[in-house]
Amino acid sequence: MSNNVLIQHPLESEAIYIMREVVGQFDRPVLMFSGGKDSITLVHLALKAFAPGKVPFPLLHIDTGHNFKETLEFRDALVKKYDLHLIVRHVQDSIDRGEVIEEKGKYASRNSLQTHTLLNAIEEFKFDACIGGARRDEEKARAKERIFSVRDDFGQWNEKKQRPELFDLLNGRINHGENVRVFPISNWTELDVWQYIQEEDISIPSIYFSHWRNTFERDSLIWSVDDDIVYREPDEEISLKQVRFRTIGDMSCTAALESTASTVEEIIEEIKTSRLSERGARIDDKRSEAAMEQRKQQGYF
């Protein structure tokens, strides 16, 4: 990698600066890894930031048990390729211990349950900085985040107690028990991420690209049938559709969209003309007007 690359791509330069600040200011950082394009981009940036050495922090995946199989296969291949340290904690274990109660019914999802498992993992490993791929353009609650976003000793977020970040000065001082959520690509847009993936030739899971999948429709959204996770009424008919996933989350709350985009170039063109927001197919964001903000206040990433 050359210094010219950093000069030519200011967003990349900013993200690498933030990651190096994290390692310089915190004792036990971790990179939150979901297997989605944003967390994969973070891994790519971390590899660049600390080359030729190893990435100096582990990856943490909170596995809901309802992940797309393509995502898990990609995760394991990525970790092996770059000799990364991966920690996995399972929502199913939290359910089995009676710490959380699994939802039932038509709109049941494990997405909100992962907050409890995440907070337990942070406490278990004493992580003081959790690096994530959230971006301000995704959702209005995320637009309120600072790059260093402080969480209290219960893992909760209070938007009124966030610090100003002037002149790119990042203040990592925290009290005992607190931790910071760090967002190196906070200033990127969805299009920025895809264009960077194209420029850097970054591999991503196959479900981001158009493929044929057994699906059914509910509430004008397209749901996967193949994985036998999403609740389906007997009268909700199965049909084979050409789809792709614009975001990757828990299968029970992540819908697909009809698409023929089979390359990164075609995805970029599709995004440029789309009227649907990136998280428009995430049913967990539609539970209330403040669904994301409420989850963040409880400790969600």
Side-chain angles (χ1 to χ4, degrees):
M1 116 198 43
S2 68
N3 289 332
N4 290 335
V5 174
L6 300 184
I7 294 170
Q8 292 171 0
H9 203 299
L11 288 174
E12 178 191 70
S13 181
E14 177 189 54
I16 286 175
Y17 160 71
I18 293 167
M19 286 197 170
R20 289 172 176 167
E21 283 292 303
V22 169
V23 171
Q25 294 193 43
F26 296 94
D27 296 323
R28 298 184 66 84
V30 66
L31 192 154
M32 299 299 302
F33 189 80
S34 68
K37 68 182 187 310
D38 297 313
S39 61
I40 292 167
T41 297
L42 288 179
V43 170
H44 183 83
L45 289 163
L47 290 167
K48 280 195 159 190
F50 304 105
K54 291 185 63 175
V55 174
F57 40 71
L59 277 57
L60 172 63
H61 182 209
I62 303 301
D63 186 349
T64 66
H66 291 171
N67 296 103
F68 292 96
K69 66 181 186 331
E70 296 94 334
T71 306
L72 297 180
E73 290 168 358
F74 184 94
R75 177 200 70 185
D76 294 341
L78 183 73
V79 167
K80 182 178 180 180
K81 179 178 180 179
Y82 295 110
D83 190 24
L84 302 169
H85 177 200
L86 174 68
I87 298 168
V88 181
R89 289 296 178 266
H90 300 272
V91 170
Q92 185 63 55
D93 291 338
S94 299
I95 295 171
D96 292 344
R97 290 192 295 263
E99 297 168 353
V100 294
I101 300 175
E102 185 159 21
E103 297 179 357
K104 303 294 182 183
K106 190 174 182 179
Y107 295 102
S109 171
R110 287 187 175 183
N111 195 51
S112 63
L113 303 186
Q114 64 184 310
T115 296
H116 179 87
T117 310
L118 168 62
L119 295 179
N120 278 353
I122 292 173
E123 175 63 25
E124 177 186 355
F125 294 97
K126 306 301 180 186
F127 293 130
D128 53 2
C130 302
I131 304 167
R135 308 186 323 270
R136 289 181 174 132
D137 75 318
E138 285 183 277
E139 206 273 343
K140 59 186 179 183
R142 284 184 166 165
K144 300 177 182 179
E145 290 276 18
R146 300 292 193 265
I147 291 174
F148 277 13
S149 183
V150 180
R151 300 302 202 271
D152 65 21
D153 52 359
F154 295 102
Q156 297 177 332
W157 174 70
N158 186 337
E159 74 279 9
K160 296 179 181 179
K161 293 185 178 180
Q162 299 304 304
R163 304 161 177 168
E165 291 176 339
L166 305 175
F167 311 110
D168 296 327
L169 296 176
L170 302 173
N171 181 359
R173 286 177 294 181
I174 55 176
N175 297 317
H176 179 72
E178 292 180 337
N179 65 82
V180 169
R181 309 293 172 89
V182 181
F183 305 109
I185 61 172
S186 184
N187 292 326
W188 298 39
T189 65
E190 180 189 15
L191 191 57
D192 289 329
V193 173
W194 280 108
Q195 289 174 332
Y196 187 70
I197 288 170
Q198 181 183 35
E199 292 165 11
E200 297 288 306
D201 194 24
I202 300 172
S203 297
I204 56 173
S206 60
I207 58 174
Y208 275 113
F209 301 105
S210 177
H211 58 282
W212 291 96
R213 183 177 288 259
N214 287 322
T215 66
F216 70 95
E217 290 192 34
R218 176 192 298 148
D219 301 331
S220 300
L221 295 174
I222 301 170
W223 300 96
S224 174
V225 176
D226 290 346
D227 306 284
D228 197 31
I229 293 296
V230 183
Y231 177 88
R232 182 174 64 85
E233 298 281 3
D235 60 348
E236 292 175 321
E237 296 182 359
I238 296 174
S239 62
L240 188 65
K241 289 184 182 291
Q242 191 173 7
V243 301
R244 73 176 192 88
F245 289 87
R246 195 166 166 184
T247 68
I248 294 179
D250 188 293
M251 282 185 286
S252 60
C253 63
T254 307
L257 68 151
E258 289 195 83
S259 173
T260 60
S262 58
T263 66
V264 173
E265 292 82 357
E266 290 173 351
I267 289 173
I268 289 172
E269 290 305 310
E270 183 180 84
I271 292 170
K272 287 179 178 179
T273 59
S274 176
R275 294 185 177 182
L276 180 69
S277 69
E278 181 180 5
R279 294 182 68 90
R282 292 292 295 267
I283 197 68
D284 50 326
D285 290 349
K286 303 178 188 297
R287 292 192 172 195
S288 74
E289 283 294 319
M292 172 66 79
E293 186 153 343
Q294 289 167 354
R295 293 201 305 276
K296 286 168 64 63
Q297 289 168 349
Q298 295 163 2
Y300 184 81
F301 210 83

